[in-house]
Amino acid sequence: MNVLQLPHGQLRLPVFLPDATMGVVRSVDSADLARCGVQGVVMNVFHLMRHPGSSTVQALGGLHQMSGWQRPIVTDSGGFQAYSLIRQNPKNGSLTNNGITFRPGQSRRRFTLTPEKSIRLQVSYGADVVVCLDDCTHVDAPLETQRESVERTIAWARRCKREFERLVDQKELPREQRPLLLAVIQGGGSRDLRKRCANELLEIGFDGFGYGGWPLDGEGNLLVDILAYVRELVPAEFPTHALGVGHPAYVVACTRMGYDLFDSSMPTRDARHGRLYAFTSEAPPSIPPIGGEVPSSIPPHWGGRKGGADWFSYVYVTDDKHIKTDGPISPYCDCPCCTDYSLGYLHHLFEVKETLAFRLATMHNLRFVTRLMERLRAERR
Ligand SMILES: [Zn+2]
């Protein structure tokens, strides 16, 4: 699939969608995003429910109006937050077949998300792509936990679909104004469970599918085998979203498996921490070396937390060696920072903790990612 038509325009695939978790990509505004070639963003139901709160989002005219972003928005269901907050620390709430109750930080305020409520919120926010509430796990969780997660994810997806159809029928939305509904495939590292989950979800019927669960193993390696297997379970005509995959090397690997959508806060978070991405050569032709074939594992030193790959490298802006660098972060970048400012000046902005540093660094990393996706789109054609 090359293009996804949505109520607020199209997404050319594959596409990277930066996380605008709280309704904003931190430290940049929507004009900055557009300048970097960003096509769409991902916002999060759970976080927006807490801040600014659902009634406030609606009073401010929905997500597009509120954030000044007129291009596509994918909303995440809150399932991943249940995993990261509750599965890892049961004191933060509880998970039942009915839904999820959050009590973050053991605060007195409770937040409840049921499959129906998650869908109602996403539709009322005006999202272009709505994601079913799912029960997310880590690949190392016991088989029994994975089994429970799959059954719950299927049951919740059924309830999500019913609520979604009720809402779009009630609103009498014409076809082109209807958001898409995405379901998430769980099952951890078990092929049997992934297959069961995918088959059931395909049977219920959705517009697209997501790879659910944390996509890395305990050492930070991409779960190549199971990601590739899950992609094969879904017919090629459906768009697939590798949720939470954001490392450039992993985005390349998953694109070559056939995934179309990516979202992560990694490039923008790295930027704010002074870790900048730079291509090691001028634009196309190719991004070696994951070649046509995807290796069975990608070691962290190659594409993980510690280093770059041979087609891109990290520039640590706060390193002393950059104090007097009068050239840009990267000679192969056309972002506003590289066009107008030197790496030495950006180093100085970081040193004096000037907020402009975050904005310029974020625009640089976003531009890196959008250009990476341009290269990958060209490769797919
Ligand atoms: Zn740049």
Side-chain angles (χ1 to χ4, degrees):
M1 173 168 278
N2 289 328
V3 174
L4 212 52
Q5 293 292 348
L6 300 168
H8 291 86
Q10 54 174 224
L11 292 177
R12 282 165 289 121
L13 306 177
V15 64
F16 181 89
L17 309 164
D19 280 347
T21 307
M22 298 274 191
V24 60
V25 176
R26 279 177 183 242
S27 67
V28 293
D29 78 349
S30 46
D32 292 338
L33 293 174
R35 277 174 84 189
C36 295
V38 170
Q39 299 187 63
V41 298
V42 172
M43 296 190 186
N44 187 282
V45 161
F46 168 75
H47 289 292
L48 290 167
M49 236 166 94
R50 297 181 67 198
H51 308 286
S54 305
S55 61
T56 305
V57 171
Q58 277 160 36
L60 298 178
L63 296 179
H64 287 89
Q65 173 85 14
M66 176 180 97
S67 65
W69 176 251
Q70 297 310 324
R71 297 183 191 188
I73 296 176
V74 176
T75 42
D76 206 353
S77 64
F80 183 77
Q81 281 65 41
Y83 156 74
S84 57
L85 288 170
I86 299 172
R87 280 219 181 269
Q88 296 187 350
N89 184 0
K91 284 183 181 163
N92 284 325
S94 60
L95 259 157
T96 67
N97 286 338
N98 186 47
I100 304 164
T101 302
F102 295 96
R103 214 172 38 248
Q106 290 146 66
S107 65
R108 253 181 275 158
R109 238 182 115 192
R110 283 164 185 249
F111 303 89
T112 303
L113 262 183
T114 61
E116 290 81 4
K117 185 174 176 189
S118 178
I119 296 295
R120 273 199 299 279
L121 289 174
Q122 295 180 67
V123 171
S124 73
Y125 290 166
D128 291 81
V129 178
V130 169
V131 179
C132 291
L133 190 68
D134 62 322
D135 181 4
C136 186
T137 60
H138 192 276
V139 71
D140 293 335
L143 195 62
E144 198 39 50
T145 307
Q146 308 290 7
R147 196 170 285 133
E148 184 186 86
S149 134
V150 164
E151 296 313 317
R152 198 174 271 155
T153 295
I154 295 167
W156 285 1
R158 198 169 278 123
R159 288 165 59 185
C160 285
K161 169 90 184 269
R162 205 178 303 134
E163 182 66 5
F164 180 82
E165 292 199 320
R166 189 183 71 78
L167 290 170
V168 293
D169 287 350
Q170 191 182 57
K171 286 172 180 269
E172 295 180 352
L173 291 176
R175 190 87 213 146
E176 64 279 6
Q177 288 302 315
R178 286 172 69 142
L180 301 186
L181 181 62
L182 224 84
V184 181
I185 300 169
Q186 294 291 348
S190 158
R191 289 183 170 228
D192 289 348
L193 288 175
R194 290 279 183 180
K195 189 169 188 177
R196 168 165 166 72
C197 196
N199 287 346
E200 291 287 326
L201 296 177
L202 281 159
E203 182 71 31
I204 299 168
F206 293 94
D207 301 307
F209 297 88
Y211 174 92
W214 189 240
L216 310 178
D217 68 15
E219 274 87 54
N221 296 303
L222 187 70
L223 297 165
V224 171
D225 287 343
I226 196 77
L227 272 153
Y229 178 71
V230 168
R231 183 61 193 89
E232 285 165 18
L233 293 172
V234 178
E237 66 263 30
F238 290 104
T240 46
H241 188 156
L243 292 132
V245 171
H247 188 286
Y250 295 168
V251 169
V252 173
C254 290
T255 298
R256 290 186 176 154
M257 294 172 199
Y259 285 93
D260 308 291
L261 298 126
F262 301 90
D263 77 280
S264 171
S265 56
M266 183 189 265
T268 49
R269 192 179 51 234
D270 274 356
R272 295 194 304 279
H273 290 137
R275 183 155 87 165
L276 309 177
Y277 308 161
F279 287 112
T280 49
S281 67
E282 182 51 90
S286 65
I287 301 162
I290 323 186
E293 280 188 33
V294 178
S296 62
S297 78
I298 299 174
H301 71 268
W302 185 85
R305 302 181 188 115
K306 293 176 194 145
D310 58 0
W311 53 272
F312 88 98
S313 61
Y314 291 131
V315 174
Y316 292 91
V317 62
T318 53
D319 280 0
D320 285 349
K321 67 179 179 188
H322 298 311
I323 290 175
K324 293 185 179 172
T325 304
D326 64 355
I329 302 162
S330 161
Y332 308 117
C333 183
D334 61 358
C335 83
C337 182
C338 291
T339 304
D340 293 337
Y341 305 104
S342 64
L343 178 52
Y345 181 61
L346 189 62
H347 174 96
H348 161 68
L349 296 179
F350 268 92
E351 284 296 306
V352 297
K353 299 188 168 53
E354 164 54 48
T355 55
L356 178 61
F358 295 151
R359 175 169 170 247
L360 292 175
T362 300
M363 289 174 84
H364 170 81
N365 272 6
L366 285 175
R367 186 64 189 136
F368 172 91
V369 179
T370 58
R371 291 188 80 206
L372 172 63
M373 301 320 287
E374 281 166 18
R375 291 186 184 194
L376 291 169
R377 280 198 293 278
E379 187 181 281
R380 213 182 241 199
R381 277 196 294 272

